[in-house]
Every structure is written in C-alpha cells, then in structure tokens.
Amino acid sequence: MKWSRAVLLFLAVFISTWIAGESLDVKFLNNLAMMSLACVILILLYYYIKFEEKKADAKTIAILGALSALSIAGRILFAPIPNIQPSTFIIIAGGYVFGPVSGFMVGATTALVSNFMLGHGPWTVWQMLAWGLAGLSA
C-alpha cells in the first residue's frame, strides 16, 4: 500500500472517531481546536506524501521551487501594503500549469517559508491549507 493511501485511510478513521466521540460525548474528542488542527496536519501530510510519490523530474521540481521562491518574495515585499497579494496569483498559476498536487505544494510551501520572516503562529497551518487548496483547485 502506498503511504498516501495509508494517511488517507488514517484521516478517514480519525474523522469517524471524532464524529463518534462527539455523539458519545467523550471528553478529549470534544476539543474542536485540537481535533481540527490534527485533521489539517493529516491533510497537509497527505499532499506532501502524494507529491513525493509522484516521481517528478528535476526540471519540474526546480521550476516549482522557483515559483515558490517568487511567491515568498512577493509576499514578504508586499506585506506592508494592505490588500496586495501577488502570492495568490502565482500559486493559482502554478496549480493551473503544473497540476493540482504541484499547486498545493507551491501554496503550502509559500505559507510555511514566508512565515519564517513574517512570524509563525497557530495560523500557519491554516494558511498552508488555504493557499494549498487555492493551488489545488486551480
């Protein structure tokens, strides 16, 4: 079995356990913040493993790295100016050109690496998921 399928199966089991715990009123399964954070981390892990299993060539990986770097630089440079976000356009373009999993990787990497300069917090994984889904849906 591929690792991505194992993570996806674990995510399904985790969500069904969460639902069962909610209906049975199990105390530690009622913590919405921790359970949703665990779901987001499992989703991110799934797409990172899915990209690794894709066996992309060096040229594609270099182009995706350059797109991520351009998106990171755009986010950091335009951070002081409100409502200007070049990163989203680059992520969507990368997802449109290179496919959904590659677009997810560009988006998730942009959020993770740019937050090293702008500051990490509990919002980082949610930014990774949101920009990853923007690249995935393009």
Side-chain angles (χ1 to χ4, degrees):
M1 181 189 307
K2 291 185 175 183
W3 281 104
S4 62
R5 289 185 184 166
V7 171
L8 195 61
L9 180 66
F10 183 73
L11 178 65
V13 169
F14 183 80
I15 290 173
S16 61
T17 305
W18 183 12
I19 292 170
E22 285 286 330
S23 63
L24 297 174
D25 199 33
V26 177
K27 193 72 165 169
F28 68 92
L29 294 177
N30 285 341
N31 190 348
L32 180 65
M34 293 306 290
M35 297 301 281
S36 61
L37 179 68
C39 282
V40 168
I41 289 172
L42 285 172
I43 291 169
L44 291 171
L45 182 66
Y46 169 74
Y47 280 109
Y48 272 97
I49 292 173
K50 188 84 167 162
F51 181 76
E52 281 293 321
E53 291 174 349
K54 196 169 118 176
K55 303 284 192 240
D57 58 339
K59 187 178 184 180
T60 305
I61 292 174
I63 291 172
L64 291 176
L67 275 175
S68 296
L70 184 65
S71 179
I72 292 162
R75 181 169 185 224
I76 291 170
L77 288 175
F78 288 102
I81 305 169
N83 297 328
I84 296 180
Q85 199 64 261
S87 297
T88 307
F89 173 74
I90 295 169
I91 292 165
I92 290 172
Y96 180 75
V97 172
F98 293 104
V101 177
S102 298
F104 188 90
M105 290 302 295
V106 171
T109 304
T110 296
L112 178 66
V113 176
S114 64
N115 278 351
F116 282 112
M117 292 293 290
L118 300 174
H120 282 288
W123 57 84
T124 300
V125 292
W126 297 100
Q127 284 178 336
M128 289 175 68
L129 180 67
W131 268 339
L133 290 177
L136 184 77
S137 63

